[in-house]
């Protein structure tokens, strides 16, 4: 496994690959877990070479405190990546990526950016767009793998690729969960014991919402979920929304031709958790 921190070095390596070598790319912010590895394993089966980046991207954090406290476990990450036979790891510093101007490009994602996470995390998707576009330029992958755990992000990246005609196939991968249903996340490591115990309530409520969506209208399902969370003092619901998968517009009336998904953001103490489920 080769590890590069410099753009020039990783580009040189990629350029030296035999013509026709397919490159699968998995961008991450490190503190790797089984969710990340499921993406890497899929990339391994579909490509000749797998590149993983580890970069805690400052421009996508809207709270300085969240950036500072984001878990960083680079040594463990590298040994885990070696054990799954990752080929190339790119671990740049913020200076390497942004020089001395840590700033986002401003994007128009046709309104996808204004829904859900966009309402609560100002500038987040400009930060995501900026870093993913830059990483695509550096790594030049044929396929790039993103988790449905961050479904809005996945749709935004597909939109960016389409609008900018970037020659990469974006592949969405299933959400990987703990045995108790909690969606795996680097942030889970920061939960207190008490919050970790109660956190599976999020997925339980999502599955309940999915079941109810079969017979109830969307507003009834939203009310039901909000009431469930009122009974749960350790978790604070930030939003629960049912939206179509394409434009991420909040549902009005059920349309048989549309695919819907329920999206949720919850505070477990200071830790913000997101999840979603297809309906
Ligand atoms: P992150 O390091 O949190 O930025 O995540 C890197 C990639 O892994 C993103 O595409 C995430 O959507 C994906 N990912 C994170 N957690 C999971 C999970 N539990 N299941 C599937 N993919 C995930």
């Amino acid at each position: 496994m080769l590890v590069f921190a410099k753009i020039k070095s990783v580009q040189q390596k990629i350029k030296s690959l035999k013509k026709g070598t397919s490159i699968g790319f998995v961008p991450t912010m490190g503190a790797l877990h089984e969710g990340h590895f499921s993406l890497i394993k899929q990339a391994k089966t579909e490509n000749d070479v797998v590149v993983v980046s580890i970069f805690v991207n400052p421009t996508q954090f809207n709270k300085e405190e969240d950036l500072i406290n984001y878990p960083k476990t680079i040594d463990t990450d590298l040994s885990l990546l070696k054990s799954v036979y990752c080929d190339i790891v790119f671990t740049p510093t913020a200076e390497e990526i942004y020089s001395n101007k840590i700033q986002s490009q401003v994007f128009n994602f046709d309104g996808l950016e204004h829904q859900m996470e966009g309402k609560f995390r100002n500038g987040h998707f400009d930060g995501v767009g900026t870093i993913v576009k830059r990483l695509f330029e550096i790594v030049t992958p044929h396929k790039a793998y993103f988790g449905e755990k961050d479904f809005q992000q996945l749709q935004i990246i597909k939109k960016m690729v389409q609008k900018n005609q970037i020659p990469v196939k974006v592949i969405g991968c299933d959400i990987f969960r703990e045995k108790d249903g909690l969606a795996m996340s680097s942030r889970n490591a920061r939960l207190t014991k008490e919050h970790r115990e109660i956190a599976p309530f999020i997925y339980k409520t999502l599955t309940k919402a999915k079941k109810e969506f079969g017979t109830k209208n969307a507003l009834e399902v939203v009310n039901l979920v909000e009431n469930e969370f009122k009974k749960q003092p350790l978790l604070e619901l930030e939003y629960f929304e049912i939206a179509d998968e394409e434009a991420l517009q909040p549902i009005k009336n059920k349309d048989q031709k549309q695919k819907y998904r329920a999206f949720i953001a919850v505070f477990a103490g200071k830790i913000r958790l997101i999840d979603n489920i297809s309906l």
Side-chain angles (χ1 to χ4, degrees):
M1 186 175 83
L2 297 168
V3 183
F4 300 102
K6 296 284 177 203
I7 295 171
K8 271 218 173 96
S9 328
V10 75
Q11 277 179 325
Q12 227 165 38
K13 176 66 205 170
I14 286 166
K15 278 207 185 104
S16 76
L17 295 172
K18 230 173 61 207
K19 206 167 169 260
T21 305
S22 62
I23 302 171
F25 179 41
V26 183
T28 82
M29 297 206 298
L32 301 178
H33 51 69
E34 285 298 322
H36 295 114
F37 291 116
S38 65
L39 271 58
I40 295 167
K41 280 175 200 155
Q42 190 170 336
K44 267 302 305 167
T45 62
E46 297 179 0
N47 300 276
D48 301 320
V49 167
V50 171
V51 181
V52 172
S53 63
I54 298 179
F55 180 60
V56 184
N57 173 38
T59 60
Q60 72 188 69
F61 285 82
N62 53 326
K63 284 186 188 155
E64 179 80 8
E65 191 197 352
D66 193 22
L67 171 62
I68 292 166
N69 291 324
Y70 197 84
K72 292 158 192 101
T73 57
I74 186 73
D75 293 339
T76 323
D77 289 350
L78 290 178
S79 56
L80 287 170
L81 285 173
K82 211 168 172 185
S83 73
V84 295
Y85 305 104
C86 171
D87 302 292
I88 297 174
V89 191
F90 181 44
T91 58
T93 59
E95 292 73 43
E96 183 70 6
I97 294 290
Y98 289 102
S99 303
N100 47 14
K101 206 171 178 195
I102 298 189
Q103 203 176 311
S104 295
Q105 188 184 330
V106 177
F107 289 89
N108 174 353
F109 298 116
D110 291 347
L112 291 175
E113 70 276 33
H114 302 311
Q115 305 300 328
M116 298 172 299
E117 290 298 284
K119 290 184 194 146
F120 295 92
R121 302 188 69 190
N122 200 13
H124 171 66
F125 289 119
D126 281 336
V128 169
T130 303
I131 186 60
V132 174
K133 188 160 169 274
R134 185 82 186 101
L135 289 170
F136 281 173
E137 283 160 6
I138 296 166
V139 176
T140 60
H142 299 89
K143 293 183 180 168
Y145 298 80
F146 293 85
E148 289 186 347
K149 158 84 175 18
D150 303 281
F151 193 85
Q152 188 173 8
Q153 167 176 285
L154 168 65
Q155 296 304 68
I156 276 177
I157 287 159
K158 283 184 178 165
K159 178 71 74 181
M160 180 186 79
V161 162
Q162 179 209 336
K163 285 187 117 176
N164 292 277
Q165 297 178 317
I166 303 170
V168 59
K169 185 162 188 230
V170 175
I171 296 172
C173 306
D174 288 345
I175 302 176
F176 205 88
R177 299 181 179 281
E178 300 283 357
K179 281 202 181 71
D180 58 18
L182 176 65
M184 290 207 180
S185 163
S186 306
R187 289 188 163 88
N188 294 352
R190 296 189 53 226
L191 291 168
T192 64
K193 190 167 169 283
E194 227 183 0
H195 286 123
R196 175 63 190 84
E197 275 167 15
I198 198 65
F201 182 83
I202 300 168
Y203 182 58
K204 270 196 203 108
T205 313
L206 281 181
T207 48
K208 197 179 254 184
K210 181 181 172 90
K211 193 164 158 250
E212 297 295 329
F213 190 69
T215 53
K216 293 194 166 68
N217 69 39
L219 187 63
E220 286 172 319
V221 178
V222 171
N223 287 337
L224 181 135
V225 169
E226 287 178 356
N227 285 330
E228 287 289 314
F229 275 90
K230 276 183 197 144
K231 291 184 251 164
Q232 193 46 263
L234 281 173
L235 299 175
E236 188 195 328
L237 179 66
E238 186 170 51
Y239 68 78
F240 171 80
E241 207 163 296
I242 297 175
D244 70 272
E245 290 194 350
E246 281 306 306
L248 304 180
Q249 291 288 329
I251 183 173
K252 289 196 180 88
N253 298 309
K254 273 187 211 174
D255 175 350
Q256 293 303 325
K257 292 191 288 294
Q258 292 274 21
K259 274 191 179 168
Y260 295 104
R261 213 168 250 266
F263 298 86
I264 196 164
V266 171
F267 276 97
K270 285 189 171 164
I271 310 304
R272 187 172 182 277
L273 301 173
I274 59 168
D275 201 346
N276 66 79
I277 193 166
S278 86
L279 296 176

